[in-house]
Amino acid sequence: MPRRAAWIEPHPEGIYLPGADAWIDPSVPKPRALVTHGHADHARGGHGAVLATAETLAIMATRYGPQNGQALGYGETIALDGITARFMPAGHVLGSAQIVLEHEGERVVVSGDYKRRPDPTCAPFEPVPCDIFVTEATFALPVFRHPDTGSEMDRLLAALHANPDRCVLVGAYALGKAQRVIAELRARGHGTPIFIHGALQRLCDLYEEFGVELGPLLPATGVKAAEMRGHIVMAPPSALNDRWSRRLPDPITAMASGWMRIRQRARQRNVELPLVVSDHADWDELTKTLTEIAPAEVWVTHGREDALVHWCMTRQIRARALELAGREDEDD
């Protein structure tokens, strides 16, 4: 019996479409790449041509320089030598997309990274029924059940208001997480300036250019410590315990990440206020998505593949783990 969707091939460096000579999220430069979103473990520089959303192309240009890119809007279809492709929202970060591929009556959805809960900085995930669903598994263990995002923001604001002589230093991934935390705080009425590390400036500016309002942001560098008392300071996780942070006014060190569910990770980073805020689907959202989409087969990428493959098999869904290179547990 021929395998399902023989026209699409998983390889260590990415998912390959031989008929179109195109790759999805390749980890090395390729002549033609379809890119789901701008995180570095999915979007690499040096491709001959890139198909992605306008937002993802702008993120790649910010990080790697100008791209030979073709922008596709959500729902727009393009023909690739007998294969049709369209990009649908993934709800992960600004411009993130699922890539819906159709050929000879079969449909494959490569989801990239995704989440199901609301995010004021990007379009929400849209489920697409398909024959094969390629899913991430970053948090694919039952222990990972993310709390309500609003309650985590309330904890952050409570710590800020209870310590007016200190600042709260929040470590957040530079693309997506930092902007989401800022927007969530604004939605909860925190309108005062937020100080940001210089490494966040370009991407915050880009989000603003695409219509995501982040409110007043001020550079944290070159500011006297006294001026940051009673304020939130945002920085990439790498800056939480380096020389840059030592000049801050007695900071309460926080970090926004799905990995903050694991206490040992919080302790390793000397995090006083762990905030469980993730841009990936948790266990319940992953299994809900598979139930909703009802694919005949599931391909599982980077993360806790075994648990999700087992869940599928117990429900008579064919499943396999893909060994894709270069997929990392980012700071989420």
Side-chain angles (χ1 to χ4, degrees), residues 137-146 259 261-262 281-284 286-287 303-308:
T138 304
F139 291 112
L141 287 174
V143 68
F144 290 114
R145 288 183 164 95
H146 306 322
W259 296 113
R261 172 66 73 187
I262 303 175
D282 67 7
W283 175 257
D284 289 338
L286 289 166
T287 55
R304 275 77 261 158
E305 295 100 334
D306 290 350
L308 199 57

Side-chain angles (χ1 to χ4, degrees), residues 23-240:
W23 293 79
I24 298 174
D25 289 352
S27 59
V28 296
K30 297 292 183 181
R32 180 191 276 179
L34 286 71
V35 177
T36 60
H37 67 281
H39 279 144
D41 59 339
H42 292 258
R44 308 296 175 98
H47 302 307
V50 179
L51 282 74
T53 64
E55 295 90 339
T56 295
L57 289 174
I59 291 165
M60 293 179 69
T62 298
R63 291 185 151 184
Y64 307 124
Q67 303 293 304
N68 179 23
Q70 179 177 351
L72 292 179
Y74 290 133
E76 184 178 351
T77 299
I78 186 172
L80 300 172
D81 302 308
I83 299 170
T84 62
R86 60 188 165 102
F87 284 53
M88 297 296 289
H92 179 54
V93 296
L94 181 70
S96 61
Q98 306 169 77
I99 301 177
V100 181
L101 304 163
E102 299 189 62
H103 179 65
E104 295 183 345
E106 289 184 307
R107 178 185 291 164
V108 177
V109 174
V110 182
S111 64
D113 290 338
Y114 64 97
K115 67 175 178 289
R116 300 301 305 267
R117 57 191 63 203
D119 180 341
T121 69
C122 65
F125 179 95
E126 293 187 22
V128 179
C130 56
D131 300 293
I132 296 177
F133 187 66
V134 184
T135 182
E136 61 146 309
T138 304
F139 291 112
L141 287 174
V143 68
F144 290 114
R145 288 183 164 95
H146 306 322
D148 174 68
T149 304
S151 67
E152 297 299 278
M153 295 299 100
D154 288 342
R155 292 177 58 237
L156 170 54
L157 291 172
L160 179 70
H161 297 151
N163 298 275
D165 292 330
R166 304 175 70 182
C167 72
V168 179
L169 171 61
V170 183
Y173 197 69
L175 170 57
K177 184 62 60 62
Q179 297 79 20
R180 180 184 176 197
V181 169
I182 293 169
E184 294 279 6
L185 289 168
R186 299 309 191 198
R188 302 190 85 72
H190 184 73
T192 58
I194 293 174
F195 291 88
I196 63 172
H197 188 286
L200 306 183
Q201 188 68 58
R202 288 191 305 165
L203 288 170
C204 285
D205 289 345
L206 188 148
Y207 267 62
E208 292 267 12
E209 290 169 10
F210 279 96
V212 179
E213 296 184 4
L214 300 178
L217 304 177
L218 298 175
T221 303
V223 178
K224 293 180 180 179
E227 296 179 30
M228 290 184 280
R229 295 187 187 278
H231 286 274
I232 292 171
V233 181
M234 302 283 301
S238 60
L240 291 184

